[in-house]
Amino acid sequence: LPTVWFVFGTFLVAFEMAAQLFSLDGKVLFGLLNFQNLWFTSFIFSGIFVTREDVIWPLRIFTYILPFGWGTRSFFWALFHDWGVDGSGGFSGTAPCDPSLPGCFSDAVRGSPGTGFFCPGLPAVECWGDVGPRILDSIGSVYRILTSENTLAADLGYLVAIAAAFKALYLLRLASLLRLRAVPRRPPAALPPLDGPQRQTLLTVNDVAPPSPLL
């Protein structure tokens, strides 16, 4: 469970760095819409719907530089990879079978193609396996982003690199905006109060001065 939270936290940090970058937009609404577009683009190109290999260039670059795919793959791996493996849990509704028979799913998790499993009393669309790795590979046959292979280190590396890139762009953008602004100056010292004749003279001049022209 700590690994799940660590992956999820790193995933959120990557998007947080992107939010910082878009917070520098001159208009708040545009910054919000830009971040929403980034999130939706990251979701579309995450590999859940279309695999990375099936995305044409140059659109395939989004599958590498956006965090959703890297975070999703390791999040589900960390959540399921050891579920029921030690025999203490898992789903008890499966039974072994010959994978050459109809309705029997091949067991590709443990490297034994001569065995398989099925779920008595359940339709095939509800039968995913008995332990976490087998469930990951079964669902991965539909959603190719999921796998029982351990890619945690690589996915975390990509997430950290993406977060660092967004942070660097944020700092560069912030520095450029600061250079375009005037340097703040110390306000002038307060003038001493006017007393006696000086105050009366100032009031007299203001009273008789003609109004300034509009143009």
Side-chain angles (χ1 to χ4, degrees):
L1 191 59
T3 305
V4 176
W5 287 111
F6 185 74
V7 173
F8 187 60
T10 308
F11 171 77
L12 292 181
V13 167
F15 276 108
E16 180 65 23
M17 297 300 103
Q20 281 189 348
L21 174 62
F22 292 123
S23 69
L24 298 177
D25 199 291
K27 296 184 180 298
V28 176
L29 183 59
F30 287 170
L32 177 63
L33 292 177
N34 286 333
F35 178 77
Q36 185 178 9
N37 288 335
L38 176 76
W39 191 96
F40 188 73
T41 303
S42 181
F43 177 64
I44 291 296
F45 291 99
S46 63
I48 298 176
F49 308 102
V50 183
T51 60
R52 180 177 293 113
E53 293 75 16
D54 292 333
V55 179
I56 62 173
W57 288 99
L59 296 179
R60 191 183 298 182
I61 189 64
F62 292 121
T63 66
Y64 292 100
I65 66 175
L66 296 177
F68 212 104
W70 309 114
T72 301
R73 183 168 66 176
S74 278
F75 177 82
F76 282 100
W77 177 87
L79 193 63
F80 284 102
H81 78 281
D82 58 350
W83 184 69
V85 174
D86 58 357
S88 60
F91 178 61
S92 59
T94 62
C97 61
D98 185 352
S100 62
L101 297 177
C104 183
F105 299 96
S106 176
D107 184 358
V109 177
R110 299 173 181 173
S112 52
T115 61
F117 68 93
F118 77 109
C119 302
L122 289 178
V125 294
E126 298 180 14
C127 185
W128 300 105
D130 55 348
V131 292
R134 183 176 293 169
I135 292 173
L136 285 172
D137 283 337
S138 297
I139 301 178
S141 63
V142 180
Y143 301 102
R144 300 289 296 278
I145 192 176
L146 301 183
T147 176
S148 62
E149 181 183 357
N150 183 0
T151 59
L152 180 63
D155 293 342
L156 288 177
Y158 277 109
L159 289 175
V160 171
I162 292 170
F166 278 124
K167 188 67 173 182
L169 291 174
Y170 165 77
L171 294 175
L172 291 174
R173 175 63 175 163
L174 180 62
S176 66
L177 290 176
L178 292 177
R179 282 198 298 267
L180 295 176
R181 299 294 187 269
V183 178
R185 298 181 181 276
R186 184 186 299 272
L191 296 175
L194 300 177
D195 296 326
Q198 293 179 346
R199 178 178 178 85
Q200 184 63 36
T201 302
L202 181 60
L203 292 176
T204 303
V205 171
N206 290 337
D207 290 340
V208 300
S212 58
L214 297 179
L215 298 177

